[in-house]
Amino acid sequence: MHEISSKMPIQIHDLTVAYKDKPVLWDIDLAVPPAVMMAIVGPNGAGKTTLIKSVLGLVKPASGKVYVFGENYKKNRRLVSYVPQRTSVDWDFPTTVIDVVMMGLYGKLGWIKRPGEKEKKLAKQALEKVGMLELEKRQISQLSGGQQQRVFLARALVQDAELYIMDEPFQGVDAATEKAIVAILHELKNRGKTLFVVHHDLQTVKDYFDYLCLLNVRLTAAGKVDEHFTDENLRKTYGGRLAFLSAK
Amino acid sequence: MSILEFLHNVIFNYTIRNVTLGAFGLGAFAGILGVFAVLRKQSLLGDAVSHSTLPGVAVAFLLIGYKNYVIFTIGAIIAGLISMAFFTLIINNTRIKSDSALGLSLSIFFGMGLVITDFIKKLPGQAKGGLESYILGQAATIVQEDVIGIFGFGIFSLIILLIFWKEFKLFSFDKDFCASKGFNSKILESMLTTIIVIAIVIGLSNVGVILMAALIVAPATAARQWTNHLSLMAILAGLFGGLSGIIGAYVSSTYSKIPTGPTIVVAISVIVFISIIFAPNRGLLFRWLKTFKNKRRILVDTVLIDLLEYAQGHENKFAHSAPVSVLKIMTHGEVGVKKSLKALEKNGMVKKLPNNEWKLTKKGFITAEKLEVLGNKRKNSQKTGEK
């Protein structure tokens, strides 16, 4: 464990990603230090989702290298917990809340081996943390947006990872759920875990995060929120589109 | 043929036994294996694969010169997989969208199949029996080897499905997450595609390439209506598919002119139709009933609030009553105002006066006022939300 916690959770060197011939990410250099909560901020189409997918090895870079705790992602994927965008899956899929949370343990189980009582117990604990234990047997199509996000969060928590990579965990959730999720994320950070989170709402960056990276195909700024969340950097990232949002 | 006679024949008549077992097996296997195709929204893929297998069968016939289930099936599987590879190639290297690409590979392969089949027909002195049946399907040509083949391929794919159940489930639900946990997408994708190709191919001689896709899609669609659990859905899909197979075999062995394939498809279509209308929770009937009940409840609340508003407009609001005609105008001519009043009367919210007018009771006033406050709150929150 000591070894892990001293290594850089994410290190990106000269990363370029392109779809067909259009660059989506251009020459990114970024390091995410341990035990921080870093927001990935930028306009639509800036490559935020592509950035986290390249860290997870889901997208093949045109060039560049990505290291997770100093190694190839494949070697350390057990230390990483990924929360995709809530809208990326079909919530009418025939399965239950507890089942989705147990999916978080499939990676540890490996091929073929089935989840059993031990996995169920862990899943229940994770559901309790997000306040969803009463709904464990609920069919997932009957959940509200906020509840869906809590289920995804529980699926991430059950993995007991060191690095949490999340794609817009606050998208379409109610204020109460947002508060609850933030509290859980802060608790993770205080326990020394690292969080790398795509975030859309500029108003809350300062309240929720201590680090950020500003992205619009190129990386415009990265580092501590106090130093880098400035009007000038936002203008650089959003161009003319930033009409009335301000770092203040 | 009566059902009893049919059962007797299933046991003692060689042909009918083979036809029935074959039809049952293909329906059941296609039903179960089709579940993931439906959940991954790849119904069209099934159609493309099934049409694309024809050249494989035809080439297999050209090579060996007679009908053989196993060789035909292998030919069909190879052609199906090649068509899928062709489809993937188009998608990855051109700007053609997936529906067009499917249509393209479907017509190219089916066309090739028809050309080769036609060519074989014109060859002199060949035993061509059985090849024709691959287009529309004819169970009468089924022999014991076919049945063994259907069950052999079916059980093989079923075992694969059971072994990798967990992986297939995660892959179908959340592909990116699945890949991030180290389950190779390409391997899972090709395994699932192969399973679907096999599911289609085992039914070809019975149902034919044109209608086989229906047997992949329909049982799973019907099963989804009745359950929210993946494993139960697969079991139900198998039962529905198997049942329609038996129905198809029964009908086509009773009336010799009726082909098996279309009968099986009609049978499964009836099951789908029933499931879409009558299934609890997801069925249309259930939804209509729910909407109707909601409408009724809203109308009852509306009438209650209307009575309150009408009374508030008068000096002594506790003594004031309203005739039905006024309430009808206030609800913009909704039908069921009288019924709503009766329902309210039952709950002790309103009272009917001797002059046929209605007035709120004390309980009615309290409830109506609560409802009104709630309604205003909702309106306000909507307004602030718009800002």
Side-chain angles (χ1 to χ4, degrees), chain B residues 302-381:
Chain B
T302 314
V303 169
L304 193 68
I305 292 176
D306 284 350
L307 266 172
L308 177 74
E309 276 178 7
Y310 191 71
Q312 280 169 341
H314 293 81
E315 256 177 34
N316 186 359
K317 62 177 181 179
F318 294 109
H320 209 87
S321 59
V324 175
S325 54
V326 167
L327 291 169
K328 272 196 177 156
I329 294 167
M330 289 180 91
T331 53
H332 305 287
E334 280 276 358
V335 261
V337 170
K338 268 188 195 163
K339 262 193 192 159
S340 307
L341 283 167
K342 291 249 165 74
L344 287 167
E345 194 180 20
K346 241 191 202 167
N347 293 332
M349 306 264 201
V350 298
K351 219 163 75 186
K352 194 176 182 183
L353 301 177
N355 63 355
N356 267 341
E357 289 194 5
W358 294 81
K359 94 188 249 313
L360 286 169
T361 61
K362 206 167 195 182
K363 190 179 166 197
F365 261 108
I366 296 167
T367 320
E369 269 165 355
K370 265 189 208 154
L371 275 174
E372 206 181 27
V373 171
L374 212 77
N376 287 340
K377 247 192 207 162
R378 203 163 291 164
K379 262 185 225 160
N380 288 338
S381 72

Coordinates of all heavy atoms in Angstrom, one line a residue, chain B residues 302-381:
Chain B
T302 N -59.7 18.0 -8.9 CA -60.1 19.2 -9.5 C -61.5 19.6 -9.1 O -61.7 20.8 -8.8 CB -60.1 19.0 -11.0 OG1 -58.9 18.3 -11.4 CG2 -60.2 20.3 -11.8
V303 N -62.4 18.7 -9.0 CA -63.8 19.0 -8.6 C -63.8 19.6 -7.2 O -64.4 20.6 -6.9 CB -64.7 17.8 -8.8 CG1 -66.0 18.1 -8.1 CG2 -64.9 17.5 -10.2
L304 N -63.0 19.0 -6.3 CA -62.9 19.4 -4.9 C -62.4 20.8 -4.9 O -63.0 21.7 -4.2 CB -62.0 18.4 -4.2 CG -62.0 18.6 -2.7 CD1 -63.3 18.1 -2.1 CD2 -60.9 17.7 -2.1
I305 N -61.3 21.1 -5.6 CA -60.8 22.5 -5.6 C -61.7 23.5 -6.2 O -61.9 24.6 -5.7 CB -59.4 22.5 -6.3 CG1 -58.4 21.7 -5.5 CG2 -58.9 23.9 -6.5 CD1 -57.0 21.6 -6.1
D306 N -62.4 23.1 -7.2 CA -63.4 23.9 -7.9 C -64.5 24.3 -6.9 O -64.9 25.5 -6.8 CB -64.0 23.2 -9.1 CG -63.0 23.2 -10.3 OD1 -62.0 23.9 -10.2 OD2 -63.3 22.5 -11.3
L307 N -64.9 23.4 -6.1 CA -66.0 23.6 -5.1 C -65.5 24.7 -4.1 O -66.2 25.6 -3.8 CB -66.4 22.4 -4.4 CG -67.5 21.6 -5.0 CD1 -67.7 20.2 -4.2 CD2 -68.8 22.4 -4.8
L308 N -64.2 24.5 -3.7 CA -63.6 25.5 -2.8 C -63.6 26.9 -3.4 O -64.0 27.8 -2.8 CB -62.2 25.0 -2.4 CG -61.4 25.9 -1.5 CD1 -62.0 25.8 0.0 CD2 -60.0 25.6 -1.5
E309 N -63.1 26.9 -4.6 CA -62.9 28.2 -5.3 C -64.3 28.9 -5.5 O -64.4 30.1 -5.3 CB -62.2 28.1 -6.6 CG -60.7 28.1 -6.5 CD -60.0 27.8 -7.8 OE1 -60.7 27.9 -8.9 OE2 -58.8 27.6 -7.8
Y310 N -65.3 28.1 -5.8 CA -66.6 28.7 -6.0 C -67.2 29.2 -4.7 O -67.7 30.3 -4.7 CB -67.5 27.6 -6.6 CG -68.9 28.1 -7.1 CD1 -69.0 28.8 -8.2 CD2 -70.0 27.8 -6.4 CE1 -70.2 29.3 -8.7 CE2 -71.3 28.3 -6.8 CZ -71.3 29.0 -8.0 OH -72.5 29.5 -8.4
A311 N -66.9 28.4 -3.7 CA -67.4 28.9 -2.4 C -66.7 30.1 -1.9 O -67.3 31.1 -1.3 CB -67.3 27.8 -1.3
Q312 N -65.4 30.2 -2.1 CA -64.6 31.3 -1.7 C -65.0 32.6 -2.4 O -64.9 33.7 -1.9 CB -63.1 31.1 -2.0 CG -62.5 30.2 -1.0 CD -61.1 29.7 -1.4 OE1 -60.7 29.8 -2.6 NE2 -60.3 29.3 -0.4
G313 N -65.6 32.5 -3.5 CA -66.1 33.7 -4.3 C -67.4 34.2 -3.7 O -67.9 35.3 -4.1
H314 N -67.9 33.6 -2.7 CA -69.2 34.1 -2.1 C -68.9 34.4 -0.6 O -68.0 34.0 0.0 CB -70.3 33.0 -2.2 CG -70.7 32.8 -3.6 ND1 -69.9 32.0 -4.5 CD2 -71.7 33.2 -4.4 CE1 -70.5 32.0 -5.7 NE2 -71.6 32.7 -5.6
E315 N -69.9 35.3 -0.1 CA -69.7 35.8 1.2 C -69.6 34.8 2.3 O -68.6 34.7 3.0 CB -70.8 36.8 1.5 CG -70.2 38.3 1.3 CD -71.3 39.3 1.6 OE1 -72.2 39.0 2.4 OE2 -71.3 40.3 0.9
N316 N -70.6 34.0 2.5 CA -70.5 33.0 3.5 C -70.1 31.7 2.9 O -70.9 30.9 2.5 CB -71.9 32.8 4.2 CG -71.8 31.9 5.4 OD1 -70.7 31.3 5.6 ND2 -72.9 31.7 6.0
K317 N -68.8 31.5 2.8 CA -68.3 30.4 2.0 C -68.6 29.0 2.6 O -68.8 28.1 1.8 CB -66.7 30.5 1.8 CG -65.9 30.4 3.1 CD -64.4 30.5 2.8 CE -63.6 30.4 4.0 NZ -62.2 30.4 3.7
F318 N -68.9 29.0 3.9 CA -69.2 27.7 4.5 C -70.6 27.2 4.2 O -70.9 26.1 4.2 CB -68.9 27.7 6.0 CG -67.5 27.8 6.3 CD1 -67.0 29.0 6.9 CD2 -66.6 26.8 6.0 CE1 -65.7 29.1 7.1 CE2 -65.3 26.9 6.3 CZ -64.8 28.1 6.8
A319 N -71.4 28.2 3.8 CA -72.8 27.8 3.6 C -73.1 27.7 2.1 O -74.1 27.2 1.7 CB -73.7 28.9 4.1
H320 N -72.1 28.1 1.2 CA -72.4 28.1 -0.2 C -72.3 26.8 -0.9 O -71.4 26.0 -0.6 CB -71.5 29.1 -0.9 CG -72.2 29.7 -2.1 ND1 -73.0 30.8 -2.0 CD2 -72.2 29.3 -3.4 CE1 -73.5 31.1 -3.2 NE2 -73.1 30.2 -4.0
S321 N -73.2 26.5 -1.8 CA -73.2 25.3 -2.6 C -73.2 25.6 -4.0 O -73.5 26.7 -4.5 CB -74.5 24.5 -2.2 OG -75.6 25.2 -2.5
A322 N -72.8 24.6 -4.9 CA -72.8 24.8 -6.3 C -73.5 23.7 -7.0 O -73.5 22.5 -6.6 CB -71.3 24.7 -6.7
P323 N -74.2 24.1 -8.1 CA -74.9 23.0 -8.9 C -73.9 22.3 -9.8 O -72.8 22.8 -10.1 CB -75.9 23.9 -9.8 CG -75.3 25.2 -9.8 CD -74.5 25.4 -8.6
V324 N -74.3 21.1 -10.3 CA -73.4 20.3 -11.1 C -73.0 21.1 -12.4 O -71.9 21.0 -12.9 CB -74.1 19.0 -11.5 CG1 -73.2 18.2 -12.5 CG2 -74.3 18.2 -10.2
S325 N -74.0 21.8 -12.9 CA -73.7 22.5 -14.2 C -72.5 23.5 -14.1 O -71.7 23.6 -15.0 CB -75.0 23.3 -14.7 OG -75.4 24.1 -13.6
V326 N -72.4 24.2 -12.9 CA -71.3 25.1 -12.7 C -70.0 24.4 -12.7 O -69.0 24.8 -13.3 CB -71.5 25.9 -11.4 CG1 -70.3 26.6 -11.0 CG2 -72.7 26.9 -11.6
L327 N -70.0 23.2 -12.0 CA -68.8 22.5 -11.9 C -68.3 21.9 -13.2 O -67.1 21.9 -13.5 CB -69.0 21.3 -10.9 CG -69.2 21.7 -9.4 CD1 -69.6 20.6 -8.6 CD2 -67.9 22.3 -8.9
K328 N -69.3 21.6 -14.0 CA -69.0 21.1 -15.4 C -68.3 22.2 -16.2 O -67.3 21.9 -16.9 CB -70.3 20.7 -16.1 CG -70.6 19.2 -15.8 CD -71.6 18.6 -16.8 CE -71.8 17.2 -16.5 NZ -73.1 16.7 -17.0
I329 N -68.8 23.4 -16.1 CA -68.2 24.5 -16.8 C -66.7 24.7 -16.2 O -65.8 24.9 -17.0 CB -69.0 25.8 -16.6 CG1 -70.3 25.6 -17.3 CG2 -68.3 27.0 -17.2 CD1 -71.4 26.7 -17.0
M330 N -66.6 24.7 -14.9 CA -65.3 24.9 -14.3 C -64.3 23.9 -14.7 O -63.1 24.2 -14.8 CB -65.4 24.9 -12.8 CG -66.1 26.2 -12.3 SD -66.3 26.2 -10.5 CE -64.8 27.1 -10.0
T331 N -64.7 22.6 -15.0 CA -63.7 21.6 -15.4 C -63.6 21.6 -16.9 O -63.1 20.6 -17.5 CB -64.1 20.2 -14.9 OG1 -65.5 20.0 -15.3 CG2 -64.0 20.1 -13.4
H332 N -64.1 22.6 -17.6 CA -64.1 22.7 -19.1 C -64.8 21.5 -19.7 O -64.2 20.9 -20.6 CB -62.6 22.8 -19.5 CG -61.9 23.9 -18.9 ND1 -62.2 25.2 -19.3 CD2 -61.0 24.0 -18.0 CE1 -61.4 26.0 -18.6 NE2 -60.7 25.3 -17.7
G333 N -65.9 21.1 -19.2 CA -66.7 20.1 -19.8 C -66.2 18.7 -19.7 O -66.5 17.8 -20.5
E334 N -65.4 18.4 -18.7 CA -64.9 17.0 -18.5 C -66.1 16.1 -18.2 O -67.0 16.5 -17.4 CB -63.9 16.9 -17.3 CG -62.5 17.4 -17.7 CD -61.7 16.3 -18.3 OE1 -62.2 15.1 -18.4 OE2 -60.5 16.6 -18.7
V335 N -66.0 14.9 -18.7 CA -67.0 13.9 -18.3 C -66.6 13.3 -17.0 O -65.4 13.1 -16.7 CB -67.2 12.8 -19.4 CG1 -68.4 13.1 -20.2 CG2 -66.0 12.6 -20.2
G336 N -67.6 12.9 -16.2 CA -67.3 12.2 -15.0 C -67.3 13.1 -13.8 O -66.9 12.7 -12.7
V337 N -67.9 14.3 -13.9 CA -68.0 15.3 -12.8 C -68.9 14.7 -11.7 O -68.6 14.6 -10.5 CB -68.5 16.6 -13.2 CG1 -68.9 17.5 -12.0 CG2 -67.5 17.3 -14.1
K338 N -70.1 14.1 -12.2 CA -71.0 13.5 -11.2 C -70.4 12.3 -10.5 O -70.6 12.2 -9.3 CB -72.3 13.0 -12.0 CG -73.4 14.1 -12.0 CD -74.6 13.5 -12.6 CE -75.6 14.7 -12.9 NZ -76.7 14.2 -13.8
K339 N -69.7 11.5 -11.3 CA -69.0 10.4 -10.6 C -68.0 10.8 -9.6 O -67.9 10.2 -8.5 CB -68.3 9.5 -11.7 CG -69.1 8.3 -12.2 CD -68.2 7.4 -13.0 CE -69.0 6.4 -13.8 NZ -68.3 5.8 -14.9
S340 N -67.3 11.9 -9.9 CA -66.3 12.4 -9.0 C -67.0 12.9 -7.7 O -66.5 12.6 -6.6 CB -65.5 13.5 -9.6 OG -64.9 13.1 -10.8
L341 N -68.1 13.5 -7.9 CA -68.9 14.0 -6.7 C -69.3 12.9 -5.8 O -69.2 12.9 -4.6 CB -70.1 14.8 -7.2 CG -69.8 16.3 -7.7 CD1 -71.0 16.9 -8.4 CD2 -69.3 17.2 -6.5
K342 N -69.8 11.8 -6.5 CA -70.2 10.6 -5.7 C -69.0 10.0 -4.9 O -69.2 9.6 -3.8 CB -70.8 9.6 -6.7 CG -72.1 10.0 -7.3 CD -73.2 9.1 -6.8 CE -74.6 9.8 -7.1 NZ -74.9 9.6 -8.6
A343 N -67.9 10.0 -5.6 CA -66.7 9.4 -4.9 C -66.3 10.3 -3.7 O -65.9 9.8 -2.7 CB -65.5 9.4 -5.9
L344 N -66.4 11.6 -3.9 CA -66.1 12.6 -2.8 C -67.1 12.4 -1.7 O -66.8 12.5 -0.5 CB -66.1 14.0 -3.3 CG -64.9 14.4 -4.2 CD1 -65.2 15.7 -4.9 CD2 -63.7 14.5 -3.4
E345 N -68.4 12.2 -2.1 CA -69.4 12.0 -1.1 C -69.1 10.8 -0.2 O -69.3 10.8 1.0 CB -70.8 11.8 -1.7 CG -72.0 12.0 -0.8 CD -73.3 11.8 -1.5 OE1 -73.3 11.2 -2.6 OE2 -74.3 12.3 -1.0
K346 N -68.7 9.7 -0.8 CA -68.3 8.5 -0.1 C -67.3 8.8 0.9 O -67.3 8.2 2.0 CB -67.8 7.5 -1.1 CG -68.6 6.2 -1.2 CD -67.9 5.2 -2.0 CE -68.8 4.1 -2.6 NZ -68.1 3.3 -3.6
N347 N -66.3 9.6 0.6 CA -65.2 9.9 1.6 C -65.6 11.0 2.6 O -64.8 11.5 3.3 CB -64.0 10.4 0.8 CG -63.4 9.3 0.0 OD1 -63.5 8.1 0.3 ND2 -62.8 9.6 -1.1
G348 N -66.9 11.5 2.5 CA -67.3 12.5 3.4 C -66.8 13.9 3.1 O -66.6 14.7 4.0
M349 N -66.4 14.2 1.9 CA -65.8 15.5 1.6 C -66.9 16.5 1.1 O -66.7 17.7 1.3 CB -64.8 15.3 0.4 CG -63.7 14.3 0.7 SD -62.3 15.1 1.4 CE -61.1 13.9 1.0
V350 N -68.0 15.9 0.5 CA -69.0 16.8 0.0 C -70.4 16.3 0.5 O -70.5 15.1 0.9 CB -69.0 16.9 -1.5 CG1 -67.7 17.5 -2.0 CG2 -69.3 15.6 -2.2
K351 N -71.4 17.2 0.4 CA -72.7 16.8 0.8 C -73.7 17.2 -0.3 O -73.5 18.3 -0.8 CB -73.1 17.4 2.1 CG -73.8 16.5 3.1 CD -73.8 17.0 4.5 CE -74.7 18.2 4.7 NZ -74.6 18.8 6.1
K352 N -74.7 16.4 -0.6 CA -75.7 16.8 -1.6 C -76.8 17.4 -0.8 O -77.4 16.9 0.2 CB -76.1 15.6 -2.3 CG -76.9 15.9 -3.6 CD -77.3 14.6 -4.3 CE -78.0 15.0 -5.6 NZ -78.4 13.8 -6.4
L353 N -77.2 18.6 -1.2 CA -78.4 19.3 -0.6 C -79.7 18.9 -1.3 O -79.7 18.4 -2.4 CB -78.2 20.8 -0.7 CG -76.9 21.3 -0.1 CD1 -76.7 22.8 -0.3 CD2 -76.8 21.0 1.4
P354 N -80.8 19.2 -0.6 CA -82.1 18.8 -1.1 C -82.4 19.4 -2.5 O -83.1 18.9 -3.3 CB -83.1 19.2 -0.1 CG -82.3 19.4 1.1 CD -80.9 19.7 0.8
N355 N -81.8 20.6 -2.8 CA -82.0 21.3 -4.0 C -81.1 20.8 -5.1 O -80.9 21.5 -6.1 CB -81.9 22.8 -3.9 CG -80.5 23.2 -3.5 OD1 -79.6 22.3 -3.2 ND2 -80.2 24.5 -3.4
N356 N -80.5 19.6 -4.9 CA -79.6 19.0 -5.9 C -78.2 19.7 -6.1 O -77.5 19.4 -7.0 CB -80.2 18.9 -7.3 CG -80.9 17.5 -7.4 OD1 -80.6 16.6 -6.7 ND2 -81.8 17.4 -8.3
E357 N -78.0 20.7 -5.2 CA -76.7 21.3 -5.3 C -75.7 20.7 -4.3 O -76.1 19.9 -3.4 CB -76.8 22.8 -5.0 CG -77.5 23.6 -6.1 CD -77.3 25.1 -5.9 OE1 -76.6 25.5 -5.0 OE2 -78.0 25.8 -6.7
W358 N -74.4 20.9 -4.5 CA -73.4 20.2 -3.7 C -72.6 21.3 -2.9 O -72.3 22.3 -3.3 CB -72.4 19.5 -4.6 CG -73.0 18.3 -5.3 CD1 -73.7 18.4 -6.5 CD2 -73.0 17.0 -5.0 NE1 -74.2 17.2 -6.9 CE2 -73.8 16.3 -6.0 CE3 -72.5 16.2 -3.9 CZ2 -74.0 14.9 -5.9 CZ3 -72.7 14.9 -3.8 CH2 -73.4 14.2 -4.8
K359 N -72.3 20.9 -1.6 CA -71.5 21.8 -0.8 C -70.4 21.0 -0.1 O -70.5 19.8 0.2 CB -72.3 22.6 0.1 CG -72.5 22.0 1.5 CD -73.5 22.8 2.3 CE -73.0 23.7 3.4 NZ -72.0 23.0 4.3
L360 N -69.3 21.7 0.2 CA -68.2 21.0 0.9 C -68.5 20.8 2.4 O -69.1 21.6 3.0 CB -66.9 21.9 0.8 CG -66.2 22.0 -0.5 CD1 -65.1 23.1 -0.4 CD2 -65.5 20.7 -0.8
T361 N -68.0 19.7 2.9 CA -68.1 19.4 4.3 C -66.9 20.1 5.0 O -66.0 20.6 4.3 CB -68.2 17.9 4.7 OG1 -66.9 17.4 4.2 CG2 -69.3 17.3 4.0
K362 N -66.8 20.0 6.3 CA -65.6 20.6 7.0 C -64.3 19.8 6.5 O -63.3 20.4 6.2 CB -65.8 20.4 8.5 CG -65.0 21.4 9.2 CD -65.4 21.5 10.7 CE -64.9 22.7 11.3 NZ -65.3 22.8 12.8
K363 N -64.4 18.5 6.5 CA -63.3 17.7 6.0 C -62.9 18.1 4.6 O -61.8 18.1 4.2 CB -63.7 16.2 6.1 CG -62.6 15.2 5.9 CD -63.1 13.8 6.0 CE -62.1 12.8 5.4 NZ -62.7 11.5 5.2
G364 N -64.0 18.3 3.8 CA -63.7 18.7 2.4 C -63.0 20.0 2.3 O -62.0 20.1 1.5
F365 N -63.4 21.0 3.1 CA -62.7 22.3 3.1 C -61.2 22.1 3.4 O -60.3 22.6 2.7 CB -63.3 23.2 4.2 CG -64.3 24.2 3.6 CD1 -65.6 24.0 3.7 CD2 -63.8 25.2 2.8 CE1 -66.5 24.9 3.2 CE2 -64.7 26.1 2.2 CZ -66.1 26.0 2.4
I366 N -60.9 21.3 4.5 CA -59.5 21.2 4.9 C -58.7 20.5 3.8 O -57.6 21.0 3.4 CB -59.5 20.3 6.2 CG1 -60.2 21.1 7.3 CG2 -58.0 20.0 6.6 CD1 -60.4 20.2 8.6
T367 N -59.2 19.4 3.2 CA -58.5 18.7 2.2 C -58.3 19.6 1.0 O -57.2 19.7 0.4 CB -59.3 17.5 1.8 OG1 -59.8 16.8 2.9 CG2 -58.4 16.5 1.1
A368 N -59.4 20.3 0.6 CA -59.3 21.1 -0.6 C -58.2 22.3 -0.4 O -57.5 22.6 -1.3 CB -60.6 21.7 -1.0
E369 N -58.2 22.8 0.8 CA -57.3 23.9 1.0 C -55.8 23.4 1.0 O -54.9 24.1 0.4 CB -57.6 24.6 2.4 CG -58.5 25.8 2.2 CD -59.1 26.2 3.5 OE1 -58.9 25.6 4.6 OE2 -59.9 27.2 3.4
K370 N -55.7 22.2 1.5 CA -54.3 21.6 1.5 C -53.9 21.4 0.0 O -52.8 21.7 -0.4 CB -54.3 20.2 2.2 CG -53.9 20.3 3.6 CD -53.7 18.9 4.2 CE -53.9 18.9 5.7 NZ -54.4 17.6 6.1
L371 N -54.8 20.9 -0.8 CA -54.5 20.6 -2.2 C -54.1 21.9 -2.9 O -53.2 21.9 -3.7 CB -55.7 20.0 -2.9 CG -55.9 18.4 -2.7 CD1 -57.2 18.0 -3.3 CD2 -54.8 17.7 -3.4
E372 N -54.9 22.9 -2.6 CA -54.7 24.2 -3.3 C -53.3 24.8 -2.9 O -52.5 25.2 -3.8 CB -55.7 25.2 -2.9 CG -55.9 26.3 -3.9 CD -57.0 27.3 -3.5 OE1 -57.2 27.5 -2.3 OE2 -57.6 27.8 -4.4
V373 N -52.9 24.7 -1.7 CA -51.6 25.2 -1.3 C -50.5 24.4 -2.0 O -49.5 24.9 -2.5 CB -51.4 25.0 0.3 CG1 -50.0 25.3 0.7 CG2 -52.4 25.9 1.0
L374 N -50.7 23.1 -2.0 CA -49.7 22.2 -2.7 C -49.6 22.6 -4.2 O -48.5 22.7 -4.7 CB -50.2 20.7 -2.6 CG -49.2 19.7 -2.5 CD1 -48.6 19.7 -1.1 CD2 -49.8 18.3 -2.8
G375 N -50.8 22.8 -4.8 CA -50.8 23.1 -6.2 C -50.1 24.4 -6.5 O -49.3 24.5 -7.4
N376 N -50.3 25.4 -5.6 CA -49.6 26.7 -5.8 C -48.1 26.6 -5.7 O -47.4 27.2 -6.4 CB -50.2 27.8 -4.8 CG -51.6 28.2 -5.2 OD1 -52.0 28.1 -6.3 ND2 -52.3 28.7 -4.2
K377 N -47.7 25.8 -4.7 CA -46.3 25.6 -4.4 C -45.7 25.1 -5.7 O -44.6 25.5 -6.1 CB -46.1 24.6 -3.3 CG -45.5 25.2 -2.1 CD -45.1 24.1 -1.1 CE -45.1 24.5 0.3 NZ -45.2 23.4 1.2
R378 N -46.3 24.0 -6.3 CA -45.8 23.4 -7.4 C -45.7 24.4 -8.6 O -44.7 24.5 -9.3 CB -46.7 22.2 -7.8 CG -45.9 21.2 -8.6 CD -46.7 19.9 -8.7 NE -46.7 19.2 -7.4 CZ -47.5 18.2 -7.1 NH1 -48.5 17.8 -8.0 NH2 -47.5 17.6 -5.9
K379 N -46.7 25.2 -8.8 CA -46.7 26.2 -9.8 C -45.5 27.2 -9.6 O -44.7 27.5 -10.6 CB -48.0 27.1 -9.8 CG -49.0 26.6 -10.8 CD -50.2 27.5 -10.8 CE -51.5 26.7 -10.8 NZ -52.7 27.5 -10.3
N380 N -45.3 27.6 -8.4 CA -44.2 28.6 -8.1 C -42.9 27.9 -8.4 O -42.0 28.6 -8.9 CB -44.3 29.0 -6.6 CG -45.4 30.0 -6.4 OD1 -45.9 30.6 -7.3 ND2 -45.9 30.0 -5.2
S381 N -42.7 26.7 -7.9 CA -41.4 26.1 -8.1 C -41.1 25.9 -9.6 O -40.0 25.9 -10.1 CB -41.3 24.7 -7.4 OG -42.1 23.8 -8.0

